[in-house]
Amino acid sequence: MVRAAASRTGDAIRRRLTVLLALAAVSVGCAPRARPLTGIPFPQRLPETTLPPGHTRLVFRWEYGDPIFSARGEGVARIAPPDSVRLDFFADGNLGGGFAILIGDRLTTPANDEAVRYLPPVPLLWAALGRLRVVGVDTVALVAGDTLRADIGRSPVWRAAFSGTSLVSLQRLDGNRLRESVQRDSAVISYRNFGSRRRLTLTLLRRLVDPPFDEAIWHR
């Protein structure tokens, strides 16, 4: 009986390992290969990226999707330089909503719940707003045409791309694989997590200049 129980336990462990290995293989398979940088060396410092002066309110449509859940709706981002942003999301059909507050490198949600998993990690969330907030050694920067690309740091490598002085994308690389990315232009911001197949798209509708925000918005 002991041998039988041990055998069943071993079979269960092997099944779990098989499932985990299969999931890992799917994750790797979903992550595209990162192409090497091309261009000519860029010997200068990377462009400075900061939040726009004054208090800004962005009104947008959002759409989220992963293999088991999807939603869409409207949202508002209230941006206060130098390092504070509040994001409010309202789901279509009166299905509720939520918010997140980003101050510096700290991202919080109501009661610190799991809603944060639907958002990009902090460096990519800042990149979605046009700000590069990553540091690292061994930065390699190359220019190709009118695009400057830079690989920053090691494990992970952050690959930033600039058009002129504007940050247009930030990617997280692991080895030779692209794991996550944010792409942005004047109207659309797109986030993708290739391993978990999560995606979040924001389509900007209006950009408004506001008076200073009430301090209470950063605490509730």
Side-chain angles (χ1 to χ4, degrees):
M1 293 179 64
V2 173
R3 284 196 296 271
S7 177
R8 287 195 297 272
T9 300
D11 289 342
I13 292 173
R14 282 190 290 273
R15 284 195 296 271
R16 291 176 184 173
L17 286 173
T18 299
V19 170
L20 289 173
L21 289 172
L23 289 173
V26 169
S27 175
V28 170
C30 291
R33 289 186 179 275
R35 297 180 179 179
L37 290 181
T38 59
I40 61 175
F42 182 77
Q44 305 171 42
R45 295 183 61 181
L46 298 180
E48 292 286 340
T49 57
T50 59
L51 294 178
H55 289 66
T56 305
R57 180 161 40 109
L58 305 179
V59 181
F60 54 85
R61 289 285 302 173
W62 61 269
E63 184 172 356
Y64 173 85
D66 63 34
I68 61 174
F69 175 74
S70 64
R72 64 183 62 187
E74 294 190 353
V76 177
R78 282 175 278 186
I79 306 171
D83 63 353
S84 301
V85 181
R86 174 174 169 136
L87 298 158
D88 287 271
F89 296 88
F90 311 98
D92 285 348
N94 295 319
L95 296 179
F99 69 88
I101 295 173
L102 175 61
I103 299 177
D105 293 324
R106 186 178 181 219
L107 178 63
T108 59
T109 57
N112 293 316
D113 60 21
E114 293 186 357
V116 71
R117 72 180 292 271
Y118 299 113
L119 295 171
V122 167
L124 290 169
L125 192 51
W126 276 122
L129 298 168
R131 187 179 184 198
L132 180 63
R133 196 177 170 93
V134 297
V135 295
V137 297
D138 298 336
T139 298
V140 177
L142 299 177
V143 177
D146 60 356
T147 301
L148 166 65
R149 292 184 176 86
D151 281 358
I152 306 168
R154 291 179 289 183
S155 300
V157 172
W158 298 100
R159 176 168 292 178
F162 300 84
S163 178
T165 59
S166 298
L167 181 68
V168 295
S169 74
L170 183 66
Q171 301 171 328
R172 181 175 68 87
L173 279 56
D174 181 10
N176 64 348
R177 295 286 179 175
L178 173 58
R179 298 300 178 182
E180 297 177 276
S181 74
V182 160
Q183 304 283 336
R184 61 188 306 272
D185 59 29
S186 60
V188 179
I189 300 167
S190 300
Y191 164 70
R192 292 190 66 186
N193 183 310
F194 296 97
S196 62
R197 292 183 289 168
R198 287 189 288 132
R199 65 188 185 280
L200 176 65
T201 302
L202 309 182
T203 302
L204 302 183
L205 303 178
R206 295 184 298 279
R207 181 186 299 267
L208 306 168
V209 177
D210 281 352
F213 301 127
D214 189 324
E215 281 295 317
I217 72 168
W218 311 114
H219 306 291
R220 58 179 175 85

